[in-house]
């Protein structure tokens, strides 16, 4: 099986004793089609049989489900770590002790501000009860965590929340941003939604405290991406010596969600019924998970499927647009670009700064500087603006082809090179560039033909870059004899070339 599930979130009930303004599930009362106690226990067994390492029970308020204790015990007995997310209202000493004795893993409480702010978002009196519950969990030796959903009303309270958590002794804090779904999509609440540029404030805060040994602050999957501070903060949260990069959503690949009625989907945050993969009353969990037709929106997603900035982004193939639910709830399309991406916010800011530049030669010089610094995304933006004014500028087309290739935007790179070659058929640089792009697209024979032509166009004044790139393509295509012959040829024309590029020697590569 290509995809091995290790965790899931099981929304055990839609019943809740709060009416939180940002509740993505819009929970109110238990629904009549909730899984029965026997179905719940059977699901625990199926989760274990599928090989999950831990399961998070959520809601609604999971402690309102009468058989929560039996579910926790069954999961623990089957070797699965049961975690829970609660609003904290019911968590007195007795209930905490029961959860501990049943085998609870981490018990997390949602805390969305201090004092009146938390109470306004959730329920009057809830701040006092939640903080008392956290203290009691620490006293009873229960692994306690906190989840904070950031929005306009509480973003300024992040330092105060941190101070409170450190005072209580909480060492596990997940920070996420609220998205316009469920109750938070209500016009009465939506004005609390963070503007996209505020994600950098959240990242900066997490980063500033990420090296505090007393607490792990985890940026949730909806916070990122490819911001230096975010990468460092994520790495420090996991105490990793190596950089921890966001590499795409795990929904349907390593994780999934289960709704109260047994519907299975890639992530419980995605409420659109179009993304339900099956129901446990109709098929087993394993049958749903191992069905090659299920979770295709995630398992088969490629950079080319994305739109807007994400489709052209240098990191698009790695992050695949970041959190899909952000794209779905903000843009209405799971393939759309992600406005809450920190890198996209930076690009928008840079585009605004570039907007006043109107002189074509100034644009050309700017693009050259940016390309020289490896800032290909910005260079591409400048070149696109230049080409709007001069669509037949061969040099600009060639430069755009190069930066598009470096950004792995191969269709754009090929189109730019083909257009430039139609205007200037004997341009060595463009011919070589088109050959490299076609090889990268899997059209190696056509690519080699263009590279050979680029070599021939050099004549007695060889373009060494063309020889180099053709040798690389030969080697990558398993044509070592042709690579050797080519290197012998270029050495006669430019003595010392082979010595200067030992990485091209097939013997060395082997």
């Amino acid at each position: 099986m290509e995809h091995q599930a290790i965790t899931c979130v099981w929304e055990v009930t839609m019943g809740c004793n709060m009416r939180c303004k940002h509740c993505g599930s819009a929970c109110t009362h238990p629904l009549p089609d909730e899984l029965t106690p026997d179905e719940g226990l059977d699901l625990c067994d199926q989760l274990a049989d599928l090989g999950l390492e831990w399961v998070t029970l959520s809601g609604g308020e999971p402690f309102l489900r009468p058989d929560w204790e039996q579910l926790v015990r069954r999961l623990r007995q089957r070797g699965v770590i049961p975690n829970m997310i609660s609003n904290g209202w019911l968590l007195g000493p007795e209930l905490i002790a029961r959860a501990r004795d049943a085998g609870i893993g981490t018990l997390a409480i949602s805390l969305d501000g201090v004092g009146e702010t938390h109470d306004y978002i959730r329920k009057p009196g809830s701040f006092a009860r939640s903080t008392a519950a956290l203290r009691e969990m620490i006293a009873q030796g229960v692994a306690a965590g906190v989840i904070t959903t950031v929005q306009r009303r509480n973003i300024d309270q992040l330092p105060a929340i941190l101070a409170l958590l450190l005072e209580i002794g909480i060492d596990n804090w997940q920070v996420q941003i609220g998205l316009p779904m469920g109750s938070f999509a209500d016009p009465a609440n939506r004005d609390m939604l963070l503007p996209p540029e505020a994600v950098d404030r959240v990242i900066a805060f997490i980063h500033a405290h990420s090296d505090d040994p007393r607490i792990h602050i985890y940026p949730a999957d909806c916070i990122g991406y490819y911001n230096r501070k975010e990468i460092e903060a994520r790495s420090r949260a996991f105490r990793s010596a190596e950089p921890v990069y966001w590499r795409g959503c795990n929904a349907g690949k390593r994780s999934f969600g289960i709704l109260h009625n047994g519907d299975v989907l890639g992530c419980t945050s995605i409420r659109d019924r179009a993304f339900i993969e099956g129901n446990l009353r109709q098929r087993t969990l394993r049958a749903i998970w191992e069905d090659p037709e299920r979770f295709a929106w995630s398992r088969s997603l490629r950079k080319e499927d994305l739109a807007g900035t994400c489709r052209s982004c240098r990191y698009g193939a790695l992050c695949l647009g970041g959190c899909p639910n952000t794209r779905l709830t903000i843009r209405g399309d799971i393939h759309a670009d992600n406005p809450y991406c920190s890198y996209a916010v930076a690009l928008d800011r840079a585009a605004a700064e570039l907007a006043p530049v109107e002189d074509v030669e100034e644009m050309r010089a700017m693009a050259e500087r940016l390309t020289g610094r490896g800032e290909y995304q910005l260079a591409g933006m400048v070149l696109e603006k230049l080409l709007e004014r001069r669509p037949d500028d061969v040099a600009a087309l060639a430069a755009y082809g190069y930066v598009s290739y470096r950004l792995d935007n191969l269709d754009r790179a090929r189109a730019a090179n083909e257009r430039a070659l139609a205007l200037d058929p004997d341009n060595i640089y463009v011919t070589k560039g088109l050959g490299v792009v076609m090889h990268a697209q899997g059209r190696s024979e056509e690519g080699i033909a263009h590279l050979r032509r680029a070599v021939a166009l050099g004549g007695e004044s060889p373009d060494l870059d063309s020889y180099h790139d053709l040798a690389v393509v030969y080697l990558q295509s398993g044509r070592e004899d042709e690579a050797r012959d080519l290197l012998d040829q270029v050495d006669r024309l430019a003595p010392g070339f082979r010595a200067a590029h030992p990485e091209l020697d097939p013997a060395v590569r082997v």
Side-chain angles (χ1 to χ4, degrees), residues 336-358:
D337 59 347
N338 189 338
Y340 280 80
C341 167
S342 178
Y343 186 68
V345 169
L347 290 178
D348 289 343
R349 190 162 49 242
E353 294 172 359
L354 295 173
V357 180
E358 295 294 338

Side-chain angles (χ1 to χ4, degrees), residues 5-26:
I6 62 172
T7 185
C8 85
V9 176
W10 176 7
E11 199 173 75
V12 296
T13 182
M14 285 286 282
C16 193
N17 48 7
M18 293 188 183
R19 301 292 181 266
C20 302
K21 293 178 172 58
H22 63 275
C23 178
S25 306

Side-chain angles (χ1 to χ4, degrees), residues 119-250:
D119 285 358
Y120 172 81
I121 294 169
R122 290 185 167 269
K123 182 176 181 177
S126 62
F127 175 74
R129 295 180 76 137
S130 293
T131 51
L134 289 170
R135 295 180 192 280
E136 183 64 27
M137 282 191 277
I138 296 295
Q140 293 198 30
V142 174
V146 164
I147 299 174
T148 297
T149 302
V150 186
Q151 25 103 333
R152 286 182 187 270
R153 270 194 176 259
N154 64 10
I155 188 170
D156 291 332
Q157 291 198 343
L158 289 174
I161 297 172
L162 174 61
L164 175 65
L165 299 187
L166 292 175
E167 184 264 314
I168 294 174
I170 303 299
D171 63 1
N172 185 329
W173 185 21
Q174 177 175 298
V175 178
Q176 59 194 31
I177 59 174
L179 295 172
M181 53 187 290
S183 301
F184 211 24
D186 189 311
N189 299 325
R190 189 160 177 158
D191 65 336
M192 295 192 296
L193 183 70
L194 286 178
E197 60 271 17
V199 74
D200 282 345
R201 282 188 60 193
V202 179
I203 290 171
F205 169 81
I206 297 172
H207 179 266
H209 302 282
S210 59
D211 57 356
D212 190 325
R214 296 171 294 176
I215 191 168
H216 296 71
I217 309 178
Y218 296 95
D221 292 347
C222 55
I223 293 178
Y225 308 89
Y226 293 88
N227 168 312
R228 178 186 60 80
K229 290 182 178 180
E230 176 259 337
I231 294 168
E232 290 181 359
R234 205 175 289 278
S235 305
R236 291 172 183 173
F238 289 97
R239 301 298 191 254
S240 172
E242 300 296 323
V244 175
Y245 299 101
W246 169 266
R247 294 188 180 274
C249 179
N250 280 318

Side-chain angles (χ1 to χ4, degrees), residues 75-384:
L75 288 168
R76 180 62 80 171
Q77 289 166 358
R78 291 298 313 275
V80 182
I81 299 172
N83 300 322
M84 293 183 75
I85 301 174
S86 169
N87 61 35
W89 186 266
L90 300 172
L91 283 176
E94 181 183 350
L95 199 63
I96 292 171
R98 286 171 58 193
R100 180 198 62 204
D101 295 343
I104 198 71
T106 298
L107 180 51
I109 289 181
S110 299
L111 192 68
D112 294 312
V114 293
E116 293 180 358
T117 298
H118 177 87
D119 285 358
Y120 172 81
I121 294 169
R122 290 185 167 269
K123 182 176 181 177
S126 62
F127 175 74
R129 295 180 76 137
S130 293
T131 51
L134 289 170
R135 295 180 192 280
E136 183 64 27
M137 282 191 277
I138 296 295
Q140 293 198 30
V142 174
V146 164
I147 299 174
T148 297
T149 302
V150 186
Q151 25 103 333
R152 286 182 187 270
R153 270 194 176 259
N154 64 10
I155 188 170
D156 291 332
Q157 291 198 343
L158 289 174
I161 297 172
L162 174 61
L164 175 65
L165 299 187
L166 292 175
E167 184 264 314
I168 294 174
I170 303 299
D171 63 1
N172 185 329
W173 185 21
Q174 177 175 298
V175 178
Q176 59 194 31
I177 59 174
L179 295 172
M181 53 187 290
S183 301
F184 211 24
D186 189 311
N189 299 325
R190 189 160 177 158
D191 65 336
M192 295 192 296
L193 183 70
L194 286 178
E197 60 271 17
V199 74
D200 282 345
R201 282 188 60 193
V202 179
I203 290 171
F205 169 81
I206 297 172
H207 179 266
H209 302 282
S210 59
D211 57 356
D212 190 325
R214 296 171 294 176
I215 191 168
H216 296 71
I217 309 178
Y218 296 95
D221 292 347
C222 55
I223 293 178
Y225 308 89
Y226 293 88
N227 168 312
R228 178 186 60 80
K229 290 182 178 180
E230 176 259 337
I231 294 168
E232 290 181 359
R234 205 175 289 278
S235 305
R236 291 172 183 173
F238 289 97
R239 301 298 191 254
S240 172
E242 300 296 323
V244 175
Y245 299 101
W246 169 266
R247 294 188 180 274
C249 179
N250 280 318
K253 299 173 183 176
R254 290 162 58 84
S255 64
F256 58 91
I258 304 171
L259 300 186
H260 67 282
N261 63 349
D263 283 338
V264 177
L265 63 176
C267 171
T268 53
S269 294
I270 298 176
R271 315 302 296 187
D272 192 320
R273 295 197 63 80
F275 295 93
I276 293 173
E277 310 293 344
N279 185 276
L280 296 171
R281 287 178 171 139
Q282 300 166 359
R283 302 180 73 188
T284 65
L285 179 59
R286 182 176 293 278
I288 295 171
W289 181 258
E290 295 183 351
D291 186 338
E293 301 297 320
R294 301 300 94 198
F295 308 100
W297 67 268
S298 177
R299 292 177 178 177
S300 301
L301 184 65
R302 300 293 181 268
K303 176 183 177 181
E304 294 74 22
D305 301 323
L306 301 172
T309 303
C310 291
R311 182 166 185 160
S312 63
C313 178
R314 67 186 304 174
Y315 302 114
L318 293 174
C319 84
L320 295 174
C323 172
N325 192 48
T326 302
R327 305 195 303 271
L328 183 62
T329 55
I330 298 294
R331 300 294 202 202
D333 183 351
I334 209 160
H335 295 110
D337 59 347
N338 189 338
Y340 280 80
C341 167
S342 178
Y343 186 68
V345 169
L347 290 178
D348 289 343
R349 190 162 49 242
E353 294 172 359
L354 295 173
V357 180
E358 295 294 338
D359 181 75
V360 167
E361 294 310 315
E362 185 179 351
M363 292 182 207
R364 195 188 312 278
M366 182 181 295
E368 289 178 0
R369 288 195 302 272
L370 291 167
T371 301
R373 296 201 299 261
E375 297 181 34
Y376 304 118
Q377 200 88 46
L378 295 178
M381 292 167 59
V382 176
L383 289 165
E384 286 171 1

